[in-house]
Amino acid sequence: MTTPEERIAELLRALPAPPAGWAEAAKELPGVRRELDTILERIERDERFRERAVADLEAMLRTEGVEPTPVVVAHLRRRLET
Amino acid sequence: MDAASDAELVSRCRAGDQAAWEALVDRYGRYVHAIVARVYRLDPHDAEDVFQEVFARVFERLDTLRDGDALRPWIAQTARNCAVDSLRRSGREVPVDDVPDAVDDALARLDEALTVHAALDRLSPECHEILDRFFCRDESYRTIGTELELPSGTIASRIARCLARLRDVIDPRETEEGRKPESSASGGQVGQR
């Protein structure tokens, strides 16, 4: 028979903290999105910049000082497609 | 931890409040991690990508959430969708699709765990910390003793005492209807590491 304390302990163990850095990266999303919005605006008004983005998105982001994480790249690709 | 309701957090996030967004990530980070890593068993690399993808979608689509109090099930559904997409992309089997009840059961358990975890915030900082270290961060008595400058001999009893307090916070009726003898709430079931 499981005591209430054992059940509570079991439930506490069911939610370990995510590995270091995961939550911190997610918290930075609003800032990253602002940077991406700036890049998207530039893509819309600068044809050569757009060509660079389409040719090699990751390289363009690095040049602009943005880490091309999978989430950032996926987000930008979605926005470029719309 | 921010004590605001989910609806309040959502409203503040929509208004561009960075602290509210950070509180939302703090509140649901463990939950999303458990869904992608434990329920769907993604490998650590995919789990991290999906974790970020879930919060990116939540952030982008927060305006579409009609009822802020529905945040938890909405995040759960977003995490499910992202995890299944990841499994399909990687060509791995999606066993959980065949047994949706198993996923529902696992998510129901995580919902319950999230409620228990939220109750930790209503304990003293000392109790919160020792329970979090032992049960959530899986730290040993030795590590806890060193970090918190506690004699290792007192850690088991302190964990048991804090666990009993947490039980009272979660369900005060347990206390009113008759607390178990102190011995049953002592370190016996804690299990030394």
PDB file of all heavy atoms in Angstrom, chain B residues 162-191:
ATOM      1  N   CYS B 162       9.523  17.554   5.574  1.00  0.00           N
ATOM      2  CA  CYS B 162       9.084  18.466   4.503  1.00  0.00           C
ATOM      3  C   CYS B 162       8.057  17.783   3.605  1.00  0.00           C
ATOM      4  O   CYS B 162       7.120  18.413   3.122  1.00  0.00           O
ATOM      5  CB  CYS B 162      10.282  18.943   3.682  1.00  0.00           C
ATOM      6  SG  CYS B 162      11.369  20.055   4.613  1.00  0.00           S
ATOM      7  N   LEU B 163       8.243  16.484   3.403  1.00  0.00           N
ATOM      8  CA  LEU B 163       7.283  15.725   2.592  1.00  0.00           C
ATOM      9  C   LEU B 163       5.912  15.710   3.277  1.00  0.00           C
ATOM     10  O   LEU B 163       4.868  15.852   2.630  1.00  0.00           O
ATOM     11  CB  LEU B 163       7.817  14.297   2.418  1.00  0.00           C
ATOM     12  CG  LEU B 163       7.449  13.500   1.187  1.00  0.00           C
ATOM     13  CD1 LEU B 163       7.624  14.293  -0.095  1.00  0.00           C
ATOM     14  CD2 LEU B 163       8.295  12.225   1.136  1.00  0.00           C
ATOM     15  N   ALA B 164       5.919  15.543   4.597  1.00  0.00           N
ATOM     16  CA  ALA B 164       4.653  15.557   5.350  1.00  0.00           C
ATOM     17  C   ALA B 164       3.996  16.938   5.255  1.00  0.00           C
ATOM     18  O   ALA B 164       2.772  17.047   5.122  1.00  0.00           O
ATOM     19  CB  ALA B 164       4.920  15.188   6.804  1.00  0.00           C
ATOM     20  N   ARG B 165       4.822  17.997   5.279  1.00  0.00           N
ATOM     21  CA  ARG B 165       4.254  19.354   5.142  1.00  0.00           C
ATOM     22  C   ARG B 165       3.651  19.536   3.762  1.00  0.00           C
ATOM     23  O   ARG B 165       2.597  20.150   3.606  1.00  0.00           O
ATOM     24  CB  ARG B 165       5.339  20.406   5.377  1.00  0.00           C
ATOM     25  CG  ARG B 165       5.649  20.565   6.842  1.00  0.00           C
ATOM     26  CD  ARG B 165       6.605  21.707   7.084  1.00  0.00           C
ATOM     27  NE  ARG B 165       7.081  21.634   8.451  1.00  0.00           N
ATOM     28  CZ  ARG B 165       8.273  21.999   8.869  1.00  0.00           C
ATOM     29  NH1 ARG B 165       9.137  22.496   8.011  1.00  0.00           N
ATOM     30  NH2 ARG B 165       8.622  21.886  10.123  1.00  0.00           N
ATOM     31  N   LEU B 166       4.340  18.999   2.776  1.00  0.00           N
ATOM     32  CA  LEU B 166       3.827  19.120   1.404  1.00  0.00           C
ATOM     33  C   LEU B 166       2.492  18.377   1.280  1.00  0.00           C
ATOM     34  O   LEU B 166       1.555  18.873   0.657  1.00  0.00           O
ATOM     35  CB  LEU B 166       4.860  18.557   0.420  1.00  0.00           C
ATOM     36  CG  LEU B 166       4.517  18.651  -1.068  1.00  0.00           C
ATOM     37  CD1 LEU B 166       4.275  20.097  -1.504  1.00  0.00           C
ATOM     38  CD2 LEU B 166       5.628  18.040  -1.924  1.00  0.00           C
ATOM     39  N   ARG B 167       2.422  17.221   1.914  1.00  0.00           N
ATOM     40  CA  ARG B 167       1.161  16.474   1.913  1.00  0.00           C
ATOM     41  C   ARG B 167       0.047  17.316   2.532  1.00  0.00           C
ATOM     42  O   ARG B 167      -1.067  17.377   2.009  1.00  0.00           O
ATOM     43  CB  ARG B 167       1.327  15.164   2.700  1.00  0.00           C
ATOM     44  CG  ARG B 167       0.065  14.319   2.748  1.00  0.00           C
ATOM     45  CD  ARG B 167       0.103  13.367   3.902  1.00  0.00           C
ATOM     46  NE  ARG B 167       0.140  14.108   5.174  1.00  0.00           N
ATOM     47  CZ  ARG B 167       0.507  13.596   6.326  1.00  0.00           C
ATOM     48  NH1 ARG B 167       0.916  12.347   6.394  1.00  0.00           N
ATOM     49  NH2 ARG B 167       0.489  14.335   7.418  1.00  0.00           N
ATOM     50  N   ASP B 168       0.349  17.992   3.616  1.00  0.00           N
ATOM     51  CA  ASP B 168      -0.657  18.837   4.273  1.00  0.00           C
ATOM     52  C   ASP B 168      -1.097  19.987   3.369  1.00  0.00           C
ATOM     53  O   ASP B 168      -2.266  20.371   3.363  1.00  0.00           O
ATOM     54  CB  ASP B 168      -0.107  19.412   5.577  1.00  0.00           C
ATOM     55  CG  ASP B 168       0.126  18.323   6.607  1.00  0.00           C
ATOM     56  OD1 ASP B 168      -0.384  17.199   6.400  1.00  0.00           O
ATOM     57  OD2 ASP B 168       0.819  18.587   7.597  1.00  0.00           O
ATOM     58  N   VAL B 169      -0.140  20.540   2.628  1.00  0.00           N
ATOM     59  CA  VAL B 169      -0.460  21.654   1.723  1.00  0.00           C
ATOM     60  C   VAL B 169      -1.369  21.160   0.592  1.00  0.00           C
ATOM     61  O   VAL B 169      -2.329  21.824   0.216  1.00  0.00           O
ATOM     62  CB  VAL B 169       0.841  22.257   1.134  1.00  0.00           C
ATOM     63  CG1 VAL B 169       0.553  23.139  -0.058  1.00  0.00           C
ATOM     64  CG2 VAL B 169       1.570  23.051   2.203  1.00  0.00           C
ATOM     65  N   ILE B 170      -1.056  19.971   0.085  1.00  0.00           N
ATOM     66  CA  ILE B 170      -1.823  19.441  -1.045  1.00  0.00           C
ATOM     67  C   ILE B 170      -3.216  19.021  -0.603  1.00  0.00           C
ATOM     68  O   ILE B 170      -4.197  19.291  -1.276  1.00  0.00           O
ATOM     69  CB  ILE B 170      -1.078  18.240  -1.675  1.00  0.00           C
ATOM     70  CG1 ILE B 170       0.214  18.733  -2.319  1.00  0.00           C
ATOM     71  CG2 ILE B 170      -1.957  17.524  -2.697  1.00  0.00           C
ATOM     72  CD1 ILE B 170       1.175  17.619  -2.666  1.00  0.00           C
ATOM     73  N   ASP B 171      -3.293  18.342   0.534  1.00  0.00           N
ATOM     74  CA  ASP B 171      -4.585  17.850   0.996  1.00  0.00           C
ATOM     75  C   ASP B 171      -4.674  17.980   2.515  1.00  0.00           C
ATOM     76  O   ASP B 171      -4.383  17.039   3.245  1.00  0.00           O
ATOM     77  CB  ASP B 171      -4.765  16.388   0.573  1.00  0.00           C
ATOM     78  CG  ASP B 171      -6.170  15.890   0.870  1.00  0.00           C
ATOM     79  OD1 ASP B 171      -6.991  16.694   1.369  1.00  0.00           O
ATOM     80  OD2 ASP B 171      -6.454  14.716   0.607  1.00  0.00           O
ATOM     81  N   PRO B 172      -5.102  19.162   2.984  1.00  0.00           N
ATOM     82  CA  PRO B 172      -5.158  19.379   4.436  1.00  0.00           C
ATOM     83  C   PRO B 172      -6.085  18.397   5.155  1.00  0.00           C
ATOM     84  O   PRO B 172      -5.922  18.149   6.343  1.00  0.00           O
ATOM     85  CB  PRO B 172      -5.707  20.805   4.563  1.00  0.00           C
ATOM     86  CG  PRO B 172      -5.554  21.417   3.217  1.00  0.00           C
ATOM     87  CD  PRO B 172      -5.569  20.303   2.232  1.00  0.00           C
ATOM     88  N   ARG B 173      -7.046  17.788   4.435  1.00  0.00           N
ATOM     89  CA  ARG B 173      -7.968  16.850   5.091  1.00  0.00           C
ATOM     90  C   ARG B 173      -7.227  15.669   5.680  1.00  0.00           C
ATOM     91  O   ARG B 173      -7.615  15.093   6.667  1.00  0.00           O
ATOM     92  CB  ARG B 173      -9.005  16.348   4.092  1.00  0.00           C
ATOM     93  CG  ARG B 173     -10.044  17.397   3.749  1.00  0.00           C
ATOM     94  CD  ARG B 173     -10.882  16.931   2.607  1.00  0.00           C
ATOM     95  NE  ARG B 173     -10.030  16.598   1.467  1.00  0.00           N
ATOM     96  CZ  ARG B 173     -10.456  16.041   0.353  1.00  0.00           C
ATOM     97  NH1 ARG B 173     -11.713  15.723   0.207  1.00  0.00           N
ATOM     98  NH2 ARG B 173      -9.632  15.778  -0.640  1.00  0.00           N
ATOM     99  N   GLU B 174      -6.104  15.289   4.986  1.00  0.00           N
ATOM    100  CA  GLU B 174      -5.287  14.185   5.513  1.00  0.00           C
ATOM    101  C   GLU B 174      -4.912  14.452   6.967  1.00  0.00           C
ATOM    102  O   GLU B 174      -4.931  13.577   7.797  1.00  0.00           O
ATOM    103  CB  GLU B 174      -4.000  14.056   4.698  1.00  0.00           C
ATOM    104  CG  GLU B 174      -4.166  13.369   3.382  1.00  0.00           C
ATOM    105  CD  GLU B 174      -4.285  11.867   3.544  1.00  0.00           C
ATOM    106  OE1 GLU B 174      -3.776  11.342   4.531  1.00  0.00           O
ATOM    107  OE2 GLU B 174      -4.927  11.242   2.693  1.00  0.00           O
ATOM    108  N   THR B 175      -4.575  15.711   7.227  1.00  0.00           N
ATOM    109  CA  THR B 175      -4.152  16.083   8.577  1.00  0.00           C
ATOM    110  C   THR B 175      -5.338  16.046   9.531  1.00  0.00           C
ATOM    111  O   THR B 175      -5.265  15.526  10.632  1.00  0.00           O
ATOM    112  CB  THR B 175      -3.564  17.508   8.570  1.00  0.00           C
ATOM    113  OG1 THR B 175      -2.721  17.626   7.439  1.00  0.00           O
ATOM    114  CG2 THR B 175      -2.789  17.776   9.822  1.00  0.00           C
ATOM    115  N   GLU B 176      -6.460  16.613   9.038  1.00  0.00           N
ATOM    116  CA  GLU B 176      -7.637  16.680   9.903  1.00  0.00           C
ATOM    117  C   GLU B 176      -8.188  15.292  10.214  1.00  0.00           C
ATOM    118  O   GLU B 176      -8.625  15.002  11.313  1.00  0.00           O
ATOM    119  CB  GLU B 176      -8.741  17.488   9.213  1.00  0.00           C
ATOM    120  CG  GLU B 176      -8.426  18.974   9.161  1.00  0.00           C
ATOM    121  CD  GLU B 176      -9.238  19.690   8.104  1.00  0.00           C
ATOM    122  OE1 GLU B 176     -10.249  19.112   7.641  1.00  0.00           O
ATOM    123  OE2 GLU B 176      -8.854  20.796   7.729  1.00  0.00           O
ATOM    124  N   GLU B 177      -8.131  14.401   9.231  1.00  0.00           N
ATOM    125  CA  GLU B 177      -8.728  13.089   9.416  1.00  0.00           C
ATOM    126  C   GLU B 177      -7.833  12.147  10.215  1.00  0.00           C
ATOM    127  O   GLU B 177      -8.192  11.021  10.483  1.00  0.00           O
ATOM    128  CB  GLU B 177      -9.030  12.468   8.047  1.00  0.00           C
ATOM    129  CG  GLU B 177     -10.210  13.147   7.380  1.00  0.00           C
ATOM    130  CD  GLU B 177     -10.340  12.755   5.923  1.00  0.00           C
ATOM    131  OE1 GLU B 177      -9.621  11.834   5.494  1.00  0.00           O
ATOM    132  OE2 GLU B 177     -11.161  13.364   5.245  1.00  0.00           O
ATOM    133  N   GLY B 178      -6.685  12.605  10.549  1.00  0.00           N
ATOM    134  CA  GLY B 178      -5.818  11.758  11.364  1.00  0.00           C
ATOM    135  C   GLY B 178      -4.468  11.563  10.742  1.00  0.00           C
ATOM    136  O   GLY B 178      -4.335  10.813   9.797  1.00  0.00           O
ATOM    137  N   ARG B 179      -3.521  12.272  11.283  1.00  0.00           N
ATOM    138  CA  ARG B 179      -2.155  12.153  10.783  1.00  0.00           C
ATOM    139  C   ARG B 179      -1.606  10.792  11.174  1.00  0.00           C
ATOM    140  O   ARG B 179      -1.890  10.278  12.235  1.00  0.00           O
ATOM    141  CB  ARG B 179      -1.311  13.259  11.401  1.00  0.00           C
ATOM    142  CG  ARG B 179       0.057  13.380  10.799  1.00  0.00           C
ATOM    143  CD  ARG B 179       0.861  14.359  11.600  1.00  0.00           C
ATOM    144  NE  ARG B 179       0.324  15.707  11.512  1.00  0.00           N
ATOM    145  CZ  ARG B 179       0.689  16.575  10.568  1.00  0.00           C
ATOM    146  NH1 ARG B 179       1.538  16.220   9.644  1.00  0.00           N
ATOM    147  NH2 ARG B 179       0.196  17.773  10.560  1.00  0.00           N
ATOM    148  N   LYS B 180      -0.842  10.236  10.275  1.00  0.00           N
ATOM    149  CA  LYS B 180      -0.220   8.951  10.579  1.00  0.00           C
ATOM    150  C   LYS B 180       0.841   9.174  11.655  1.00  0.00           C
ATOM    151  O   LYS B 180       1.344  10.284  11.805  1.00  0.00           O
ATOM    152  CB  LYS B 180       0.423   8.394   9.323  1.00  0.00           C
ATOM    153  CG  LYS B 180      -0.614   7.946   8.336  1.00  0.00           C
ATOM    154  CD  LYS B 180       0.028   7.316   7.139  1.00  0.00           C
ATOM    155  CE  LYS B 180      -1.025   6.715   6.247  1.00  0.00           C
ATOM    156  NZ  LYS B 180      -2.054   7.637   5.845  1.00  0.00           N
ATOM    157  N   PRO B 181       1.190   8.086  12.388  1.00  0.00           N
ATOM    158  CA  PRO B 181       2.236   8.246  13.399  1.00  0.00           C
ATOM    159  C   PRO B 181       3.501   8.803  12.765  1.00  0.00           C
ATOM    160  O   PRO B 181       3.796   8.511  11.614  1.00  0.00           O
ATOM    161  CB  PRO B 181       2.478   6.812  13.901  1.00  0.00           C
ATOM    162  CG  PRO B 181       1.269   6.053  13.500  1.00  0.00           C
ATOM    163  CD  PRO B 181       0.685   6.733  12.308  1.00  0.00           C
ATOM    164  N   GLU B 182       4.231   9.596  13.535  1.00  0.00           N
ATOM    165  CA  GLU B 182       5.440  10.256  13.010  1.00  0.00           C
ATOM    166  C   GLU B 182       6.391   9.257  12.355  1.00  0.00           C
ATOM    167  O   GLU B 182       7.019   9.546  11.368  1.00  0.00           O
ATOM    168  CB  GLU B 182       6.140  10.990  14.161  1.00  0.00           C
ATOM    169  CG  GLU B 182       7.290  11.880  13.716  1.00  0.00           C
ATOM    170  CD  GLU B 182       6.851  13.019  12.818  1.00  0.00           C
ATOM    171  OE1 GLU B 182       5.683  13.443  12.916  1.00  0.00           O
ATOM    172  OE2 GLU B 182       7.672  13.485  12.016  1.00  0.00           O
ATOM    173  N   SER B 183       6.437   8.022  12.934  1.00  0.00           N
ATOM    174  CA  SER B 183       7.377   7.039  12.403  1.00  0.00           C
ATOM    175  C   SER B 183       7.083   6.723  10.939  1.00  0.00           C
ATOM    176  O   SER B 183       7.985   6.488  10.148  1.00  0.00           O
ATOM    177  CB  SER B 183       7.318   5.758  13.226  1.00  0.00           C
ATOM    178  OG  SER B 183       6.010   5.230  13.186  1.00  0.00           O
ATOM    179  N   SER B 184       5.789   6.732  10.547  1.00  0.00           N
ATOM    180  CA  SER B 184       5.475   6.399   9.160  1.00  0.00           C
ATOM    181  C   SER B 184       5.832   7.531   8.229  1.00  0.00           C
ATOM    182  O   SER B 184       5.924   7.349   7.039  1.00  0.00           O
ATOM    183  CB  SER B 184       3.989   6.068   9.003  1.00  0.00           C
ATOM    184  OG  SER B 184       3.238   7.245   9.092  1.00  0.00           O
ATOM    185  N   ALA B 185       6.024   8.724   8.794  1.00  0.00           N
ATOM    186  CA  ALA B 185       6.414   9.857   7.939  1.00  0.00           C
ATOM    187  C   ALA B 185       7.896  10.142   8.087  1.00  0.00           C
ATOM    188  O   ALA B 185       8.381  11.150   7.633  1.00  0.00           O
ATOM    189  CB  ALA B 185       5.611  11.095   8.335  1.00  0.00           C
ATOM    190  N   SER B 186       8.612   9.259   8.731  1.00  0.00           N
ATOM    191  CA  SER B 186      10.042   9.491   8.878  1.00  0.00           C
ATOM    192  C   SER B 186      10.764   8.975   7.645  1.00  0.00           C
ATOM    193  O   SER B 186      10.158   8.609   6.681  1.00  0.00           O
ATOM    194  CB  SER B 186      10.559   8.811  10.133  1.00  0.00           C
ATOM    195  OG  SER B 186      10.513   7.421   9.945  1.00  0.00           O
ATOM    196  N   GLY B 187      12.081   8.919   7.731  1.00  0.00           N
ATOM    197  CA  GLY B 187      12.874   8.649   6.533  1.00  0.00           C
ATOM    198  C   GLY B 187      12.673   7.285   5.907  1.00  0.00           C
ATOM    199  O   GLY B 187      13.258   7.017   4.871  1.00  0.00           O
ATOM    200  N   GLY B 188      11.872   6.409   6.504  1.00  0.00           N
ATOM    201  CA  GLY B 188      11.767   5.046   6.010  1.00  0.00           C
ATOM    202  C   GLY B 188      11.509   4.905   4.531  1.00  0.00           C
ATOM    203  O   GLY B 188      12.164   4.130   3.839  1.00  0.00           O
ATOM    204  N   GLN B 189      10.533   5.659   4.007  1.00  0.00           N
ATOM    205  CA  GLN B 189      10.183   5.474   2.605  1.00  0.00           C
ATOM    206  C   GLN B 189      10.985   6.349   1.669  1.00  0.00           C
ATOM    207  O   GLN B 189      10.810   6.315   0.484  1.00  0.00           O
ATOM    208  CB  GLN B 189       8.674   5.726   2.401  1.00  0.00           C
ATOM    209  CG  GLN B 189       8.264   7.199   2.405  1.00  0.00           C
ATOM    210  CD  GLN B 189       8.158   7.746   3.803  1.00  0.00           C
ATOM    211  OE1 GLN B 189       8.489   7.093   4.772  1.00  0.00           O
ATOM    212  NE2 GLN B 189       7.714   8.971   3.925  1.00  0.00           N
ATOM    213  N   VAL B 190      11.856   7.164   2.240  1.00  0.00           N
ATOM    214  CA  VAL B 190      12.591   8.114   1.394  1.00  0.00           C
ATOM    215  C   VAL B 190      13.651   7.404   0.586  1.00  0.00           C
ATOM    216  O   VAL B 190      13.817   7.678  -0.582  1.00  0.00           O
ATOM    217  CB  VAL B 190      13.193   9.237   2.271  1.00  0.00           C
ATOM    218  CG1 VAL B 190      14.139  10.098   1.467  1.00  0.00           C
ATOM    219  CG2 VAL B 190      12.081  10.104   2.843  1.00  0.00           C
ATOM    220  N   GLY B 191      14.318   6.460   1.189  1.00  0.00           N
ATOM    221  CA  GLY B 191      15.314   5.691   0.445  1.00  0.00           C
ATOM    222  C   GLY B 191      16.620   6.464   0.281  1.00  0.00           C
ATOM    223  O   GLY B 191      16.689   7.396  -0.492  1.00  0.00           O
TER     224      GLY B 191
END
